């Protein structure tokens, strides 16, 4: 059997992180088994569907790296892939229900007549689920075709899965109770049902249901904040799935190799945005200096900062210091221009040593005389200045960092000195000494 999975979003808003996880798990399962991942668009709600929302879904999936094998912009043998274009298909399948006597009219609408029996299904995540259809008061016959001639979700969803030969339906737990209805429809239509796997809910850290307004809910926010797509995929994969090891950082290819529905948890997943940022940091650290600078450059330009020829070295200096690419401009601004600001609390701390003013001036003189400038040579000059003054180098090193960057923390001091060069470093030390 060739595995065929699908993601079937409604284009009524942005791509939600829950939808992205559903798409990811379907993509991973298909890739793991050498199958086909299909995208179809459930766009029959004309009042709420928008072209912008449709494009946001496409863009979000492609940004995450979840390319589809069949669907819009790809084609395939099971189209059209927009439900709004499939009415003739639905009409033909509805006629089968009419012929079989499984539908009847009720106030202009058409209802599907349930087979009044107990339904037992085996879900690949949730296990055995039993729904008793013998009590009609709890399970009334459902509408499948409205009085205006349009079809409801349950009917078109089942027809599309049959027509498109879907073998595995991997979707959110909120659809779990719909599945027995779908199985009855499939049986009435003479089809073979796919296997079902219902994914646990995604909750906020406090256990509340994740809403559209919560941080991290909208996939299109991630690129603007400076997340890497691989990091977001990595984090989303761990929302409800476990590799059964202590490993937390994965590439998309590793996830596809390791993914298994048996390792999807039954309990709801907790969305921790801080953990998502940490995962992103691990992916940033793994980048080469060149790749990191390419990823960071748009954010630096957007902040109005210059991008010099040696920007790769500038960016590399903070590669291990930031969690998001949007943090890079603030982290490197002092390396790109001389009009940076000083943190007042840090300046006050530097002033606590009454001798620091004179020591910085002495250090500036030492810098002036260095014939072979390098960060290491400058640091050696600092140690010599401290030794001559009979003090530990720590306080002078702190004062030098503040003089060069205006802050207490940041890149390695040697990297700062190398990037700024002899003249700019010396000028900053003299300027800061006059402020003390």
């Amino acid at each position: 059997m060739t595995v065929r999975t699908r993601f079937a979003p409604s284009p009524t808003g942005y791509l939600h992180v829950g939808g992205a996880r559903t798409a990811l798990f379907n993509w991973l399962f298909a890739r793991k088994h050498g199958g086909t991942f299909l995208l179809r668009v459930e766009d029959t709600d004309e009042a709420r569907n928008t072209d912008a929302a449709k494009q946001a879904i496409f863009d979000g999936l492609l940004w995450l790296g979840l390319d589809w094998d069949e669907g819009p912009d790809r084609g395939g043998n099971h189209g059209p892939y927009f439900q709004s274009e499939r009415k003739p298909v639905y009409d033909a399948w509805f006629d089968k229900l009419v012929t079989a006597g499984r539908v009847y009219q009720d106030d202009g609408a058409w209802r599907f007549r349930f087979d009044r029996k107990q339904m037992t299904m085996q879900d690949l995540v949730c296990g055995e689920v039993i729904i008793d259809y013998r009590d009609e008061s709890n399970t009334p016959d459902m509408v499948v075709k409205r009085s205006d001639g349009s079809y409801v979700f349950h009917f078109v969803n089942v027809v599309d899965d049959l027509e498109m030969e879907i073998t595995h339906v991997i979707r959110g737990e909120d659809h779990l109770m719909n599945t027995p209805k779908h199985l009855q429809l499939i049986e009435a239509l003479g089809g073979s049902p796919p296997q079902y796997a219902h994914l646990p809910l995604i909750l906020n850290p406090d256990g509340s249901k994740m809403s559209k307004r919560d941080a991290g809910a909208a996939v299109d926010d991630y690129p603007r904040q400076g997340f890497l797509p691989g990091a977001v995929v990595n984090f989303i994969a761990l929302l409800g799935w476990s590799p059964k090891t202590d490993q937390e950082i994965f590439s998309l290819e590793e996830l596809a190799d390791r993914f298994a529905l048996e390792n999807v948890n039954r309990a709801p997943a907790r969305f921790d945005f801080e953990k998502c940022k940490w995962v992103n940091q691990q992916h940033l650290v793994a980048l080469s200096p060149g790749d990191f600078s390419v990823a960071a450059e748009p954010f630096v330009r957007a902040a109005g900062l210059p991008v010099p020829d040696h920007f790769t070295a500038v960016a590399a200096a903070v590669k291990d210091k930031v969690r998001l690419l949007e943090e890079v401009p603030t982290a490197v601004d002092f390396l790109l221009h001389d009009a940076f600001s000083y943190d007042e609390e840090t300046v006050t701390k530097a002033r606590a040593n009454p001798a620091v003013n004179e020591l910085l001036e002495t250090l500036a003189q030492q810098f002036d005389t260095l014939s072979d400038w390098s960060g290491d040579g400058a640091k050696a000059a600092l140690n010599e200045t401290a030794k001559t003054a009979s003090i530990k180098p720590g306080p002078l090193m702190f004062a030098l960092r503040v003089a060069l960057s205006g802050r207490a923390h940041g890149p390695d001091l040697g990297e700062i000195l190398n990037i700024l060069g002899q003249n700019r470093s010396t000028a900053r030390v003299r300027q800061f000494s006059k402020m003390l």
Side-chain angles (χ1 to χ4, degrees):
M1 177 184 68
T2 300
V3 167
R4 289 176 61 82
T5 66
R6 49 77 165 176
F7 178 53
S10 297
T12 57
Y14 60 77
L15 180 61
H16 188 274
V17 68
R21 184 191 63 171
T22 297
L24 172 62
F25 283 15
N26 277 280
W27 188 94
L28 291 174
F29 189 78
R31 294 293 177 264
K32 171 69 176 289
H33 296 282
T36 299
F37 173 61
L38 183 150
L39 175 65
R40 73 168 184 251
V41 181
E42 299 188 343
D43 62 340
T44 54
D45 189 346
E46 295 182 10
R48 299 177 61 213
N49 293 334
T50 68
D51 288 339
K54 178 179 68 177
Q55 194 60 48
I57 291 171
F58 294 172
D59 292 345
L61 291 175
L62 293 174
W63 181 76
L64 290 169
L66 307 182
D67 54 322
W68 50 96
D69 304 301
E70 293 181 25
D73 302 329
R74 296 290 192 281
N77 297 325
H78 299 80
Y81 295 95
F82 291 97
Q83 281 187 345
S84 59
E85 301 172 4
R86 294 178 60 80
K87 190 174 185 303
V89 176
Y90 304 141
D91 288 340
W93 284 84
F94 180 74
D95 287 344
K96 293 184 179 183
L97 294 181
V98 174
T99 301
R102 293 301 298 271
V103 290
Y104 60 92
Q105 282 193 291
D106 179 19
D107 290 331
W110 289 82
R111 289 186 177 272
F112 174 71
R113 184 178 287 109
F114 283 124
D115 191 353
R116 294 299 164 183
K117 61 183 180 180
Q118 181 173 283
M119 296 289 297
T120 301
M121 59 169 283
Q122 293 294 330
D123 188 89
L124 296 175
V125 173
C126 302
E128 186 177 81
V129 178
I130 300 175
I131 297 292
D132 194 346
Y133 279 87
R134 290 175 294 187
D135 185 350
E136 190 170 348
S137 65
N138 290 332
T139 56
D141 291 341
M142 69 174 174
V143 172
V144 291
K145 188 175 184 180
R146 303 181 185 91
S147 57
D148 64 2
S150 63
Y151 295 99
V152 302
F153 159 78
H154 300 292
F155 179 71
V156 298
N157 187 270
V158 162
V159 168
D160 286 346
D161 284 344
L162 290 175
E163 278 270 329
M164 297 177 182
E165 302 180 89
I166 301 303
T167 62
H168 295 78
V169 172
I170 304 169
R171 59 189 179 187
E173 193 179 54
D174 51 325
H175 286 291
L176 181 61
M177 290 300 100
N178 291 332
T179 304
K181 301 175 185 178
H182 296 179
L183 288 172
Q184 285 232 16
L185 274 171
I186 292 170
E187 185 178 90
L189 291 167
S192 298
Q195 296 185 67
Y196 290 90
H198 288 85
L199 309 176
L201 297 174
I202 299 177
L203 305 178
N204 287 315
D206 63 2
S208 62
K209 187 175 181 180
M210 194 174 189
S211 75
K212 293 181 178 180
R213 295 177 296 275
D214 290 322
V219 170
D220 60 0
D221 284 342
Y222 286 89
R224 290 195 290 266
Q225 295 174 28
F227 284 90
L228 296 176
V232 177
V233 163
N234 186 166
F235 175 73
I236 292 176
L238 299 176
L239 293 175
W241 171 79
S242 170
K244 301 302 182 183
T245 67
D246 293 333
Q247 184 178 348
E248 293 186 282
I249 305 304
F250 298 89
S251 66
L252 187 56
E253 293 73 20
E254 288 174 319
L255 288 171
D257 182 62
R258 299 280 294 277
F259 185 77
L261 286 172
E262 305 91 83
N263 294 340
V264 174
N265 301 321
R266 183 69 183 87
R270 298 294 178 105
F271 187 95
D272 184 344
F273 201 42
E274 293 304 306
K275 178 65 175 289
C276 186
K277 293 177 182 178
W278 176 83
V279 171
N280 194 66
Q281 184 177 37
Q282 306 314 302
H283 280 258
L284 289 175
V285 168
L287 292 178
S288 69
D291 288 344
F292 180 79
S293 67
V294 169
E297 183 176 332
F299 292 85
V300 172
R301 290 191 183 277
L305 294 171
V307 178
D309 292 340
H310 65 287
F311 180 69
T312 297
V314 171
V318 300
K319 184 166 75 78
D320 298 350
K321 309 293 182 182
V322 298
R323 295 190 298 172
L324 303 173
L325 291 170
E326 70 173 2
E327 298 170 3
V328 174
T330 300
V332 301
D333 61 351
F334 73 95
L335 293 171
L336 298 176
H337 60 67
D338 295 322
F340 61 92
S341 58
Y342 293 87
D343 177 69
E344 286 301 321
E345 185 177 339
T346 302
V347 172
T348 299
K349 185 177 178 180
R351 285 189 179 124
N353 185 340
V356 72
N357 187 347
E358 182 178 340
L359 288 171
L360 284 175
E361 181 55 40
T362 301
L363 182 60
Q365 292 173 11
Q366 288 247 33
F367 281 179
D368 268 335
T369 61
L370 288 176
S371 57
D372 182 19
W373 177 265
S374 69
D376 291 338
K379 289 171 76 172
L382 181 145
N383 291 329
E384 181 63 29
T385 300
K387 181 179 179 181
T388 301
S390 300
I391 64 168
K392 293 182 179 180
L396 183 56
M397 190 175 294
F398 176 78
L400 175 59
R401 175 177 291 280
V402 179
L404 298 175
S405 68
R407 58 199 71 174
H409 305 286
D412 176 79
L413 195 54
E415 287 186 279
I416 296 175
L417 290 163
N418 273 328
I419 291 170
L420 292 176
Q422 186 170 8
N423 293 336
R424 292 176 74 196
S425 296
T426 304
R428 289 189 184 189
V429 171
R430 285 209 165 95
Q431 175 181 311
F432 187 62
S433 70
K434 293 175 183 177
M435 295 171 54
L436 301 176

